[in-house]
Amino acid sequence: METIHTIRIRQDWLENAIAEAGGMAHLAKKMNITTSTVSRQVNQRVEASPRFIGAVLSTFPIKFQDAFDVTEERVRLRRARYVKEIVAA
């Protein structure tokens, strides 16, 4: 199995941002993204996309490392695409 590096939102930061905003829908509106995008991040279904990273960094006065982690994930090829498994955060 190969490993790759990718970017994930820090769950502690995201949970705090949701609580301060008053819920996922309010956070999404504040960041000008969809609630489903926030939900996918909460459920760790996707890695942080450039648009999501941009929305976080342009909405909140924080440094990249305060909200995001670079993770190492194992991947295996399945039908000509990679399937991720988180190794370390």
Side-chain angles (χ1 to χ4, degrees):
M1 246 184 222
E2 293 183 49
T3 60
I4 62 168
H5 291 87
T6 191
I7 299 170
R8 298 274 179 179
I9 188 81
R10 291 176 50 124
Q11 290 300 304
D12 59 332
W13 183 88
L14 183 57
E15 290 169 9
N16 187 47
I18 291 169
E20 287 181 5
M24 275 195 267
H26 292 289
L27 179 62
K29 185 174 183 177
K30 181 177 183 177
M31 293 173 59
N32 198 28
I33 60 176
T34 63
T35 304
S36 61
T37 298
V38 176
S39 176
R40 284 190 293 274
Q41 295 294 327
V42 167
N43 294 315
Q44 300 179 14
R45 293 192 165 260
V46 295
E47 58 194 59
S49 70
R51 284 187 183 174
F52 181 74
I53 294 168
V56 169
L57 296 178
S58 65
T59 304
F60 299 96
I62 58 171
K63 294 181 181 177
F64 177 86
Q65 59 270 24
D66 294 337
F68 299 96
D69 285 321
V70 176
T71 62
E72 183 177 276
E73 301 177 6
R74 281 189 281 211
V75 292
R76 58 187 159 85
L77 191 59
R78 183 177 73 189
R79 290 188 174 190
R81 67 180 189 149
Y82 285 115
V83 178
K84 297 177 191 163
E85 299 171 4
I86 296 175
V87 175

